[in-house]
Amino acid sequence: MGLGPEAIQVGAWNVGKSNGKKKKDEEDGGTGCWIKFRFMGSCLSSKAKVDGSISGSGTSTQYAESKSTNDTSKDQPVVPVVSSSTTSYAESAPSTPNVAEELKVASQLRKFSFNELKASTRGFRPESLLGEGGFGCVFKGWISENGTAPVKAGMGLPVAVKTLNHDGLQGHREWLAEVNYLGDLLHPNLVKLIGYCIEDDQRLLVYEFMPRGSLENHLFRRSLPLPWSIRMKIALGAAKGLAFLHEEAERPVIYRDFKTSNILLDADYNAKLSDFGLAKDGPEGDKTHVSTRVMGTYGYAAPEYVMTGHLTSKSDVYSFGVVLLEMLTGRRSMDKNRPNGEQNLVEWARPHLGERRRFYRLLDPRLEGRFSIKGAQKALQLAAQCLTRDQKARPLMSEVVEVLKPLPDMKDMASSSSYFQALQAERAGSSTNVRNSSRMHQGLSRTGQPTRTLSASNAQHASPYHLNQRNLSPKPREQSSI
C-alpha cells in the first residue's frame, strides 16, 4: 500500500488513532506506536515517535516522513454513536484458534514468517515506521523479488508491512477480510496484497509499496495542488476499481469505506483502492440489499444506509460522489473549521450543483482556472447524480467510468475563457472598489484612530449605516486547508 518518501497520511491504511487504546499511549504523550509481538513466549514492545503526531482531538497521525501540520477536521466514524475518533469502526473480533477454517488463502499469496518480516523492516525500528493507528503500525520493508527472504534496503522489492495491534479497534475479522478479498481479487485499480504472516497470535499483511501515498494527502496536505488532469485520472482509476468490485468480480463486493484516505497512488498517479477490512459480499439472487451494522466514515456514508443498515452497491456510488466532490472543490467532506453551513461538503454544495453559470464558485480556487470547463461541468453533474437521495436514481459505477473517461484529456481550459476572465476581472474590480471606497471615507486622527472625513454638506444626510460601514465590511474568504 502507498507509502513513500513524500508526506503521507495514515488514513490511507485506515489505521487512525482509536479511543480504545490503553492509557499507556496517553501517558507517553500519545505520539508513540505500541506493538506487542507475542512470539515464542516473548513480548517485544516497540515505540516509535512520529513527526506530526496525534492531536488532542484524536486525529490520525502523519507518516514518519511527514512534517505537515495536523488537521482537526478528519474523517469521523459512522456509528453507532457520534465519536471524535478518526478510526472507521469495524466489526472486530478477538483472535481465534480456528484460523484454518476461516482463512481462504489464494495460491498466489506468499506466506511469511514473523522473523522474515521482522528482518525486512530492520526489526520494526522507528526509522522504518510509516504510520500507526487502530489496526496497528505500518512499516516499510524490503524482500526478495520472488520470495519471502528479507534483503538489504534499496535492493529487491519494497513493501509495506501492516501489523495487527492486539489492543486496537480493528481485529482478527478485519484481518481475515483483507486477506480473503485481496487474496482473490486482482485488478490494476486494487492495491496488491503480496502475502501475510500468521504465527501464534501474530497477524501481519504485506502489500505493494505505493510511492505517492494517499489521495487525501495530495488534496489536503500538500502545498502544491493536484493538476486537473491528474485529479480526473485518479477519479477514473478509483471508479474502475469500484466498477470491478460491483460488476466484474466473480461475486459482487461492496467496498463500504470509500474515501480519499483509502485511495492510494503509484508513481504514475494510478489510483488503487486499499483497506478491505469493511468490505462485504453484495446481495445475490432475489435479494436487494445486505442488512448489516452501519460501518464506515462520517461524511462519506450514504444516508439511506445510515438510516436503515441496508447496504447496496449504490452506497458505494454515493461515497464516490462525495470523493469526487472533494476532488473538484478541494474541500473535505466534513470540516468543522469552516463556518456554519459549510462544514458538511455535500449539504453546502448540493444547491449549486445544477447551476451551469455558477459552477466556477464550487471549484478548488487553487486551480486558478487551470481546468476544463466542459470537464468540470460534466464532473459536477456526475457528482450530483451519485449524491442523489434516491439510491435507485444513482448511476452504476460502469456508467460513471464511461462519463469520466474523456475528462482527463479535455483541453478547454477555463483560464483562456473570456467568461472566466471577465468573472475574474469583476472579482478583482470589486475588491479594488471596496479598497478605494474605504480609503476615501477613512482617515487617521492625530491619535492614530480611524475617523470619517465626511464634508459638512453631506454629513447631515449621512446614515448611521454609512458612518459605521467600516464595521460591516465582509470577512475575507476562507481558503481551503492544505
Side-chain angles (χ1 to χ4, degrees):
M1 297 176 79
L3 310 162
E6 303 180 16
I8 307 171
Q9 206 282 331
V10 167
W13 300 88
N14 196 18
V15 288
K17 171 83 164 60
S18 74
N19 292 335
K21 279 195 171 185
K22 291 188 175 180
K23 293 184 179 179
K24 181 64 178 177
D25 290 295
E26 300 173 0
E27 294 169 357
D28 288 294
T31 62
C33 176
W34 283 83
I35 309 168
K36 298 183 178 178
F37 296 115
R38 302 175 180 87
F39 179 63
M40 296 182 66
S42 65
C43 177
L44 167 65
S45 292
S46 166
K47 183 180 180 182
K49 296 289 183 178
V50 182
D51 292 331
S53 57
I54 300 167
S55 70
S57 63
T59 57
S60 298
T61 65
Q62 302 270 14
Y63 287 133
E65 296 91 341
S66 173
K67 303 294 182 184
S68 57
T69 306
N70 287 325
D71 192 294
T72 58
S73 58
K74 295 294 298 162
D75 306 335
Q76 302 226 0
V78 168
V79 83
V81 294
V82 176
S83 167
S84 61
S85 166
T86 62
T87 302
S88 297
Y89 281 93
E91 299 156 326
S92 58
S95 297
T96 171
N98 299 322
V99 174
E101 299 177 6
E102 300 174 299
L103 189 58
K104 305 170 185 177
V105 180
S107 58
Q108 70 269 15
L109 293 184
R110 309 180 198 179
K111 185 175 181 180
F112 294 84
S113 71
F114 177 79
N115 280 344
E116 286 175 333
L117 294 181
K118 181 179 178 180
S120 72
T121 59
R122 306 303 177 264
F124 301 103
R125 66 184 182 183
E127 291 79 6
S128 300
L129 181 67
L130 296 170
E132 63 168 307
F135 186 99
C137 293
V138 184
F139 296 87
K140 184 175 181 179
W142 296 85
I143 63 172
S144 61
E145 289 283 354
N146 300 310
T148 62
V151 297
K152 184 178 179 180
M155 306 291 289
L157 183 68
V159 294
V161 180
K162 183 161 71 171
T163 68
L164 173 60
N165 181 358
H166 296 274
D167 298 324
L169 283 174
Q170 294 173 276
H172 177 72
R173 188 178 300 174
E174 288 69 47
W175 185 90
L176 282 173
E178 192 90 346
V179 174
N180 291 334
Y181 279 116
L182 284 181
D184 285 331
L185 299 171
L186 299 176
H187 189 270
N189 297 111
L190 304 184
V191 72
K192 182 180 180 181
L193 179 64
I194 296 173
Y196 66 98
C197 169
I198 183 165
E199 203 167 282
D200 292 338
D201 58 355
Q202 298 302 332
R203 304 288 184 272
L204 297 94
L205 298 172
V206 182
Y207 301 90
E208 64 177 313
F209 182 83
M210 300 286 283
R212 293 197 182 274
S214 71
L215 172 60
E216 178 190 38
N217 177 66
H218 287 273
L219 279 180
F220 306 123
R221 295 187 178 275
R222 293 182 60 81
S223 57
L224 294 177
L226 275 176
W228 168 260
S229 60
I230 296 296
R231 296 189 194 204
M232 294 300 98
K233 177 180 180 178
I234 294 170
L236 176 59
K240 288 180 177 179
L242 283 181
F244 168 77
L245 294 177
H246 294 175
E247 305 169 44
E248 301 171 35
E250 184 177 349
R251 290 188 304 171
V253 176
I254 302 174
Y255 187 64
R256 201 164 54 148
D257 201 19
F258 187 84
K259 55 185 178 181
T260 54
S261 59
N262 281 344
I263 301 172
L264 304 186
L265 308 173
D266 68 9
D268 297 320
Y269 292 97
N270 293 307
K272 302 191 180 188
L273 306 188
S274 69
D275 203 328
F276 279 68
L278 296 185
K280 299 286 288 186
D281 288 339
E284 295 182 308
D286 296 333
K287 295 182 179 179
T288 59
H289 63 268
V290 177
S291 295
T292 179
R293 291 178 59 200
V294 180
M295 298 291 169
T297 306
Y298 281 123
Y300 295 96
E304 75 280 355
Y305 172 53
V306 174
M307 293 292 293
T308 66
H310 293 175
L311 185 67
T312 71
S313 61
K314 295 301 181 71
S315 305
D316 283 346
V317 176
Y318 181 94
S319 300
F320 180 87
V322 177
V323 169
L324 181 58
L325 203 55
E326 286 183 300
M327 298 175 72
L328 294 170
T329 63
R331 294 177 174 228
R332 289 185 179 275
S333 62
M334 298 292 292
D335 191 345
K336 292 185 178 180
N337 291 327
R338 291 193 176 275
N340 291 335
E342 297 185 25
Q343 295 181 359
N344 185 304
L345 175 59
V346 173
E347 295 308 313
W348 169 75
R350 194 185 295 278
H352 309 294
L353 288 175
E355 299 178 355
R356 292 182 60 84
R357 299 287 289 181
R358 292 169 59 88
F359 77 96
Y360 290 108
R361 302 177 187 273
L362 289 176
L363 296 183
D364 189 345
R366 294 176 300 167
L367 289 171
E368 297 180 338
R370 294 188 292 272
F371 59 86
S372 163
I373 298 176
K374 292 182 180 179
Q377 289 175 333
K378 288 182 179 295
L380 285 169
Q381 292 170 4
L382 179 61
Q385 293 171 359
C386 293
L387 295 170
T388 182
R389 293 182 176 90
D390 180 7
Q391 61 172 322
K392 294 181 180 179
R394 296 171 198 157
L396 298 173
M397 285 309 304
S398 57
E399 297 172 335
V400 171
V401 168
E402 291 304 313
V403 175
L404 290 173
K405 276 183 178 179
L407 269 54
D409 300 321
M410 288 186 172
K411 305 298 182 184
D412 57 324
M413 292 294 105
S415 55
S416 60
S417 163
S418 58
Y419 175 78
F420 184 80
Q421 292 174 355
L423 181 64
Q424 294 294 87
E426 179 184 342
R427 290 176 177 173
S430 177
S431 299
T432 302
N433 290 337
V434 170
R435 288 195 297 269
N436 291 340
S437 177
S438 177
R439 290 170 183 168
M440 290 174 60
H441 292 89
Q442 181 174 323
L444 290 177
S445 68
R446 294 179 180 177
T447 62
Q449 298 297 319
T451 182
R452 295 296 168 186
T453 56
L454 296 175
S455 64
S457 61
N458 63 16
Q460 59 183 343
H461 302 294
S463 68
Y465 168 79
H466 183 74
L467 291 173
N468 293 294
Q469 189 174 11
R470 59 190 171 93
N471 295 326
L472 299 175
S473 60
K475 296 181 180 179
R477 288 183 62 189
E478 181 179 345
Q479 298 297 316
S480 300
S481 59
I482 55 177

